[in-house]
Amino acid sequence: MKLTKKQFKQDFEKRLTTKFATDVEKAGPQETLAAVSSVIKAYYSKIWQEDNEYKDETKKKQAYYFSIEFLPGKMLKSNLLNLGILDTVRESLSDLGIDLDAIAQIEPDMAIGNGGLGRLGSCFLDSAASTGIPLNGNGIRYSYGLFKQKIVDGYQVELPDSWLDNGNPWEIRRADKAVEVHFGGEVWLEDDGTGRLMPHYRNQERVLAVPYDTPMVGFENTTVNNMCLWRSEVPKDLDLRFQNLEYMRQTAMLSAELYPDDSNYDGRLLRLKQEYFFVSAGLQRVINHFKNINKVPVTHIADFISIHINDTHPALCVPEFMRILVDEFGIEWERAWNITVKVMSYTNHTILSEALEKWPEEMVKNLLPRIYQIILEIDRRRTADLLPKVGAKLVHSTRIVKDGQIHMANLAIIGSHSTNGVAKLHSDLLKDVELHDFYLIYPERFNNKTNGIADRRWSQIANERLSGVLDETIGKSWRHNLNELKLLEAYKNDENTLERLQAANFDNKLRLAEYIQEHNGITVNPEAIFDVQVKRLHAYKRQLLNVLHILKLYFDIKDNPEIEMVPRVFIFGAKAAPGYHYAKSIIKCINEIANMVNNDKDVADKLKVVFMENYNVSLAEIIIPAANVGEQISLASKEASGTSNMKFMLNGALTIGTLDGANIEIFEVAGKGNYFKFGLTKDEVYEYYRNGNYNAHDIYEQNPIVHRILDAFIDGTIPNISAEGPEVFDSLTTYNDEYFVLRDFNDYVRAQKDLERLYKNKNAWAQASLMNIANVGKFSSDRTIKEYADDIWHVHEKK
Ligand code: C3B
């Protein structure tokens, strides 16, 4: 949009008066932020309204991304960038003595997701809007987002994230579009007089679902899509004379908390309730909208909408859509089923069995009696239909209802026309191993969509220094099309460019060093290699492997304090799920090792270990641009894709990684010599599984370095881990090292040495870094989302 400084200042000052009865001089930071946000909201609202009208008039097909998590982070700068007014607003505020970055800083992160899954959803919504693809989000407006992590005495402590305390300037509450969602009670079927069985209900619990719309503003275009988040409330007409506080509490709980504690029955029930809540509310709204806009029978709905099931959490979309078509529109079962399969599509994000949801039949039956009947009927008809075609073995292995449980992934695959994985290796594993029986029955449904990242946030917003150098070197076309970064390759031998790229990275390192000084009280040397592992803490991601290598370096120094070594700063950021005991023990170990290393005089500044508290999207935006090395060291086959690997590449860090997830595709395009690969391949891992011949204890016994490092966990070398040390030690020895940490250790050390060698050659390192940036184009989520739009949803870009 076009905006002059004069206009913005006028709007801003007026807003301070009308909203807060104050002025620039007297306004506090929260008031300033709220007034700026409110002015920006007014700017995009017009575009939003016009785009909605355009969509309604043209009646073009729209897609809906149903996801129980989103992780947008802060929105102010992203909205400014996308509206094309970031510089104008920055300068205007500066004229008024206000620092945009300082006020942007206090905006709370919108953290209604846990990690990669939620962040991918937000990258997709950004990319869809930016490429003019009509894709809308549908999720839950949790009153409390992902917990805030504090580190106390080395332990993770979880604090609630009350991100809505100061209101959310971006959202619009649409009370007029509220719908009801029903739970429990009894259902029975009665002939409606025409021979059709219709459901009747008694004693259902009613919940009001109120949508809050948050605009997804496209990058310098006229598209504004919607992210609809549902809040649970008590229906207004309900008689609350008796002050049924328990009912009110339960209703509020439904949208209170991201991922309720699933270690007990009530917590699991609540999670299932959340899943149905946002699925039912979302589908009702989508179908209501369809009916209002299109004057065609609902049997044509597959031409107008596409519903995406993001991981198994929204898999109830399948039976709920069937319920609406069959019970509410009176469509005959087979026809309704064909429509449902056409409308639905599903992405699998992990092969870890604990994440493939299963719900006890009893639970589903009691909470969602009608949905339970429909699931049984889907399962019954499919079994009858397939038995003669594919035989009992295949039918059984792929059934939705078995062993007293509802298998949500099976439901999602069977009820949709497309199932995709999120990187080539992962999609192949689905076809060949994990979902092989489904693949035999429905080969045409399987496909791959390698993940991507909303590159504008991870470069233009997070790394202005690098962006500036890129503009000066190759022009600005890369800002619109990330593939244009390829132009940078021509400068591979240009010393000046290499120097300026490294200087940008160095400035980002200074910024991070300052942050670390302030928050951790640790002084780090900006000349050191900044070696970063940021992601959720999970055994399969193998933060422990990184830790063992750090201990190796530490002992190398202790044995020979004069040893020559490129100084390193190892940086961790990771939250552990509150109930994941082992992950929390690893956090404690990292912090105690950090204390030991950082305070050891022999080490000086050769080695520093920093655990950064409360890793989130905003912190990622500070850490990743400062990295030299990104650690992507999961056991091959376990990380479906990973997306931080792409963010590091975009920012010029080199990857040290296994042949897992999207690392493989990153290595392919980065080119030989520009990454450090190590470790078992997925085939070798599966070979071990087949033969059952992995023996971690042998490695411990036979490798003196490993022996010494592991002993440090139990012999008091690392202080204050008398409970956690033995736990880690046992996991690697007694319990045979589930994720092959010890097996990959030697090769990891070898790759780390290669890395150090390259870093010593400043020019060669800078060239490798440039090659990473130049070849990152493939990993823009603009590319990914276009593939979903073309191949799966069949929705089209706005021209
Ligand atoms: C994650 C996977 O673990 C990552 O490999 C992947 O890059 C992202 O999804 C996005 O596809 N994931 C997650 O964060 N939460 C889950 N429940 C399942 C997968």
Side-chain angles (χ1 to χ4, degrees):
M1 64 173 283
K2 292 239 176 315
L3 180 71
T4 61
K5 289 204 309 189
K6 185 162 169 243
Q7 181 68 50
F8 175 77
K9 285 182 204 168
Q10 245 176 31
D11 295 339
F12 170 61
E13 286 177 354
K14 188 159 161 215
R15 200 62 52 97
L16 277 176
T17 310
T18 54
K19 215 171 145 71
F20 294 106
T22 188
D23 59 25
V24 175
E25 304 276 277
K26 297 196 197 81
Q30 288 290 352
E31 288 165 340
T32 306
L33 172 65
V36 173
S37 308
S38 165
V39 170
I40 307 308
K41 183 178 188 178
Y43 293 159
Y44 64 59
S45 291
K46 185 96 187 83
I47 311 175
W48 195 8
Q49 188 182 359
E50 282 168 8
D51 194 39
N52 280 337
E53 280 160 14
Y54 163 86
K55 284 168 177 151
D56 290 351
E57 273 160 25
T58 55
K59 301 183 175 32
K60 287 223 187 91
K61 188 174 184 182
Q62 297 201 42
Y64 298 87
Y65 199 79
F66 278 52
S67 181
I68 204 160
E69 302 187 10
F70 289 99
L71 208 39
K74 302 191 199 298
M75 307 272 262
L76 175 60
K77 279 211 220 164
S78 156
N79 282 337
L80 290 173
L81 179 84
N82 288 0
L83 288 168
I85 57 173
L86 180 57
D87 291 339
T88 313
V89 169
R90 190 196 298 276
E91 286 162 24
S92 313
L93 288 173
S94 166
D95 291 350
L96 299 170
I98 299 166
D99 176 6
L100 171 67
D101 293 296
I103 66 152
Q105 185 74 32
I106 62 173
E107 179 186 351
D109 268 41
M110 198 175 186
I112 49 175
N114 276 294
L117 180 84
R119 185 53 228 170
L120 184 78
S122 291
C123 282
F124 280 3
L125 293 185
D126 181 318
S127 274
S130 296
T131 51
I133 289 169
L135 173 73
N136 307 289
N138 185 72
I140 299 177
R141 182 181 177 276
Y142 303 101
S143 327
Y144 294 91
L146 179 59
F147 69 85
K148 289 210 159 105
Q149 180 192 53
K150 273 240 154 261
I151 301 296
V152 179
D153 292 337
Y155 291 105
Q156 166 176 299
V157 174
E158 299 102 30
L159 303 179
D161 168 44
S162 50
W163 64 291
L164 288 166
D165 284 353
N166 291 312
N168 173 0
W170 311 115
E171 68 187 11
I172 298 178
R173 177 183 164 97
R174 300 227 188 254
D176 293 332
K177 296 224 156 32
V179 297
E180 277 196 21
V181 179
H182 298 158
F183 298 98
E186 297 125 58
V187 61
W188 69 98
L189 300 177
E190 270 179 25
D191 193 325
D192 69 351
T194 70
R196 243 167 43 94
L197 291 175
M198 290 302 286
H200 292 260
Y201 298 92
R202 194 170 32 221
N203 295 333
Q204 288 194 300
E205 178 197 339
R206 293 167 55 203
V207 173
L208 189 71
V210 182
Y212 285 69
D213 289 350
T214 303
M216 296 289 122
V217 179
F219 180 60
E220 297 186 358
N221 64 13
T222 58
T223 296
V224 181
N225 291 330
N226 186 25
M227 174 170 69
C228 165
L229 302 175
W230 297 92
R231 177 170 196 255
S232 57
E233 295 179 10
V234 174
K236 299 287 171 272
D237 63 302
L238 273 194
D239 188 352
L240 287 175
R241 262 180 314 171
F242 300 110
Q243 296 295 326
N244 189 345
L245 289 174
E246 183 51 24
Y247 170 52
M248 289 169 77
R249 193 188 67 84
Q250 286 210 8
T251 306
M253 280 303 284
L254 202 41
S255 61
E257 198 188 345
L258 169 75
Y259 217 134
D261 178 6
D262 62 0
S263 64
N264 60 63
Y265 184 88
D266 284 350
R268 285 195 293 276
L269 183 69
L270 180 56
R271 172 80 168 179
L272 178 62
K273 220 170 161 181
Q274 288 184 329
E275 293 185 357
Y276 184 66
F277 171 71
F278 89 102
V279 158
S280 177
L283 289 180
Q284 290 184 58
R285 185 173 181 194
V286 170
I287 293 173
N288 287 341
H289 184 73
F290 160 81
K291 276 196 307 192
N292 290 339
I293 300 305
N294 300 285
K295 304 292 171 229
V296 297
V298 76
T299 45
H300 289 67
I301 195 166
D303 297 333
F304 296 90
I305 67 159
S306 209
I307 305 284
H308 200 76
I309 299 172
N310 188 40
D311 222 54
T312 51
H313 325 120
L316 291 171
C317 276
V318 173
E320 175 66 359
F321 202 69
M322 282 297 284
R323 184 191 67 77
I324 296 174
L325 293 185
V326 173
D327 292 353
E328 293 185 9
F329 287 92
I331 296 171
E332 177 267 324
W333 184 282
E334 280 305 321
R335 198 160 182 210
W337 181 247
N338 289 334
I339 297 169
T340 301
V341 172
K342 244 189 183 167
V343 164
M344 301 293 159
S345 48
Y346 159 63
T347 298
N348 173 290
H349 290 268
T350 179
I351 60 167
L352 294 190
S353 56
E354 69 258 30
L356 290 179
E357 290 179 299
K358 299 172 200 74
W359 295 108
E361 272 189 70
E362 275 308 301
M363 198 190 255
V364 179
K365 186 176 170 188
N366 292 332
L367 185 69
L368 308 166
R370 179 62 183 144
I371 291 300
Y372 177 68
Q373 290 179 341
I374 292 174
I375 292 174
L376 289 187
E377 184 63 7
I378 293 171
D379 196 51
R380 187 191 68 76
R381 288 185 185 234
R382 171 177 181 273
T383 305
D385 174 44
L386 279 185
L387 259 183
K389 295 181 191 152
V390 304
K393 197 169 155 287
L394 271 191
V395 169
H396 182 75
S397 69
T398 57
R399 272 189 82 153
I400 301 166
V401 187
K402 59 178 171 181
D403 320 323
Q405 293 186 307
I406 313 283
H407 294 247
M408 301 298 268
N410 302 9
L411 177 62
I413 298 166
I414 289 164
S416 61
H417 67 279
S418 168
T419 291
N420 72 283
V422 290
K424 192 170 174 308
L425 177 88
H426 170 61
S427 297
D428 286 346
L429 266 173
L430 295 182
K431 282 197 296 195
D432 301 342
V433 188
E434 305 295 333
L435 302 175
H436 184 63
D437 287 353
F438 286 98
Y439 179 64
L440 292 174
I441 305 175
Y442 315 108
E444 72 291 346
R445 292 187 186 182
F446 282 77
N447 63 92
N448 174 53
K449 297 283 169 281
T450 298
N451 284 166
I453 54 171
D455 52 88
R456 291 161 290 275
R457 177 177 288 268
W458 299 103
S459 56
Q460 298 183 45
I461 293 176
N463 200 342
E464 290 184 9
R465 275 293 275 117
L466 174 65
S467 301
V469 175
L470 293 172
D471 287 348
E472 287 158 22
T473 312
I474 58 171
K476 293 192 171 180
S477 60
W478 68 275
R479 288 179 179 257
H480 290 264
N481 176 359
L482 204 66
N483 290 313
E484 295 279 307
L485 284 178
K486 193 83 184 163
L487 294 169
L488 202 57
E489 265 192 30
Y491 296 84
K492 192 180 169 194
N493 296 312
D494 181 57
E495 263 178 38
N496 183 264
T497 302
L498 294 175
E499 261 168 34
R500 285 189 311 142
L501 288 171
Q502 289 301 300
N505 172 252
F506 191 77
D507 283 355
N508 294 327
K509 286 167 87 171
L510 290 175
R511 178 175 69 165
L512 178 58
E514 221 171 274
Y515 184 99
I516 291 172
Q517 184 74 61
E518 189 182 329
H519 290 83
N520 297 62
I522 301 171
T523 308
V524 298
N525 172 5
E527 303 283 351
I529 302 175
F530 278 25
D531 183 324
V532 181
Q533 187 170 17
V534 281
K535 46 186 80 252
R536 286 301 290 249
L537 212 138
H538 204 295
Y540 84 82
K541 294 178 190 279
R542 301 201 296 189
Q543 278 92 352
L544 191 51
L545 180 57
N546 192 345
V547 168
L548 300 190
H549 172 247
I550 292 170
L551 287 170
K552 175 185 182 297
L553 296 181
Y554 176 66
F555 289 135
D556 288 348
I557 298 170
K558 292 304 280 181
D559 290 348
N560 174 12
E562 304 306 313
I563 193 171
E564 229 192 88
M565 187 188 267
V566 182
R568 283 248 209 165
V569 180
F570 288 97
I571 296 166
F572 292 88
K575 287 181 180 171
Y580 190 176
H581 189 268
Y582 181 70
K584 291 175 130 177
S585 296
I586 297 206
I587 291 182
K588 170 71 171 164
C589 290
I590 296 176
N591 281 309
E592 292 301 337
I593 291 168
N595 276 337
M596 177 180 79
V597 170
N598 298 342
N599 297 314
D600 190 318
K601 295 257 172 331
D602 288 346
V603 174
D605 77 350
K606 289 198 179 80
L607 196 58
K608 284 277 182 310
V609 182
V610 181
F611 187 96
M612 306 201 59
E613 199 174 65
N614 201 35
Y615 178 65
N616 60 9
V617 172
S618 293
L619 200 46
E621 290 173 23
I622 300 174
I623 296 175
I624 294 173
N628 300 112
V629 177
E631 299 270 347
Q632 310 297 341
I633 58 179
S634 51
L635 174 67
S637 78
K638 297 296 180 220
E639 189 70 272
S641 161
T643 43
S644 76
N645 43 9
M646 302 165 187
K647 293 163 201 165
F648 281 105
M649 183 183 192
L650 171 62
N651 283 280
L654 273 59
T655 299
I656 181 163
T658 47
L659 286 169
D660 199 14
N663 297 352
I664 297 179
E665 290 159 79
I666 287 178
F667 296 161
E668 264 167 29
V669 299
K672 222 175 160 34
N674 304 322
Y675 57 85
F676 306 96
K677 155 182 108 179
F678 74 95
L680 293 170
T681 64
K682 133 208 144 220
D683 289 338
E684 287 165 342
V685 171
Y686 275 85
E687 190 63 27
Y688 273 122
Y689 291 155
R690 253 191 308 277
N691 297 331
N693 60 348
Y694 179 55
N695 190 335
H697 205 270
D698 280 357
I699 301 181
Y700 169 65
E701 291 298 345
Q702 286 158 19
N703 182 331
I705 298 175
V706 167
H707 200 103
R708 180 177 182 193
I709 293 170
L710 292 202
D711 283 357
F713 285 86
I714 50 171
D715 65 7
T717 306
I718 308 166
N720 306 322
I721 54 165
S722 57
E724 298 77 17
E727 190 185 351
V728 170
F729 180 88
D730 287 345
S731 75
L732 294 176
T733 53
T734 319
Y735 299 107
N736 204 28
D737 183 14
E738 186 179 356
Y739 296 104
F740 299 84
V741 172
L742 301 187
R743 175 66 181 77
D744 275 348
F745 178 75
N746 272 350
D747 203 25
Y748 180 56
V749 171
R750 189 267 314 147
Q752 286 283 10
K753 284 195 183 130
D754 292 348
L755 186 159
E756 182 176 344
R757 201 169 313 118
L758 189 72
Y759 196 81
K760 282 189 194 151
N761 181 342
K762 287 243 170 297
N763 192 61
W765 185 275
Q767 286 185 321
S769 166
L770 175 146
M771 288 300 283
N772 273 276
I773 301 170
N775 289 293
V776 77
K778 170 177 176 182
F779 301 107
S780 166
S781 48
D782 293 2
R783 184 266 313 153
T784 316
I785 210 66
K786 194 166 161 20
E787 290 177 4
Y788 276 87
D790 289 349
D791 305 344
I792 301 178
W793 305 325
H794 308 292
V795 294
H796 301 293
E797 289 158 46
K798 185 174 180 181
K799 289 288 176 254

